[in-house]
Amino acid sequence: LKSLALRVSPQEVMEVRLQIEPALAGLAALRANDKARVVFAQATAATLAAKNQPSYDAADDIFHYKIAEMAQNPLFLTVYESIRTVRAQASWASTRAATYSPEITTILGHQHQTLADAILNGDAQAATQAMTIHLRCVSDTLLQAQEG
């Protein structure tokens, strides 16, 4: 995946994430067990409590990974793990941190809470929609930074 990480752009990664992660969120809402929901609620709280960009990035990574796990589909999880690896290894990964102002991080945190509420309430449609809105916001932020 390292060679792939060198060839893909943030826009290309976001195109794939927008196709995969809303489906994962919907499945997570339907399939997560009680223990996974407790862990996920803690992961959500960590994104909201992050005091700086590195702690937010770490919490965000765990938040999205927990959603993929809760979908309880090993093939989807493997696809998500590939996306996660490419994101971590990409040469532009450090630019993500530079594009997130405290205001953007707050907005993304609130979107996480909305998404988490939908998943924790078992509402697959709302979870799918919330993930789509969240990832579009992330994508727009990254693209604006590239243009700026």
Side-chain angles (χ1 to χ4, degrees), residues 6 13 35 45 50 56 89 104 107 109 111 116 123 125 132 138 142-143 148:
L6 297 173
V13 171
K35 182 179 177 183
Y56 175 81
Q89 293 181 353
I104 292 294
I107 290 167
Q111 290 173 351
D123 188 338
Q125 184 175 355
T132 301
V138 170
L142 289 172
L143 293 177

Side-chain angles (χ1 to χ4, degrees), residues 40-60:
F40 179 62
Q42 294 167 346
T44 303
T47 68
L48 296 171
K51 300 290 185 212
N52 54 44
Q53 193 60 49
S55 62
Y56 175 81
D57 286 344
D60 179 65

Side-chain angles (χ1 to χ4, degrees), residues 40-77:
F40 179 62
Q42 294 167 346
T44 303
T47 68
L48 296 171
K51 300 290 185 212
N52 54 44
Q53 193 60 49
S55 62
Y56 175 81
D57 286 344
D60 179 65
D61 180 59
I62 293 167
F63 175 86
H64 285 272
Y65 188 76
K66 290 299 175 189
I67 293 170
E69 281 185 328
M70 289 187 302
Q72 297 183 27
N73 180 318
L75 183 54
F76 254 145
L77 183 59

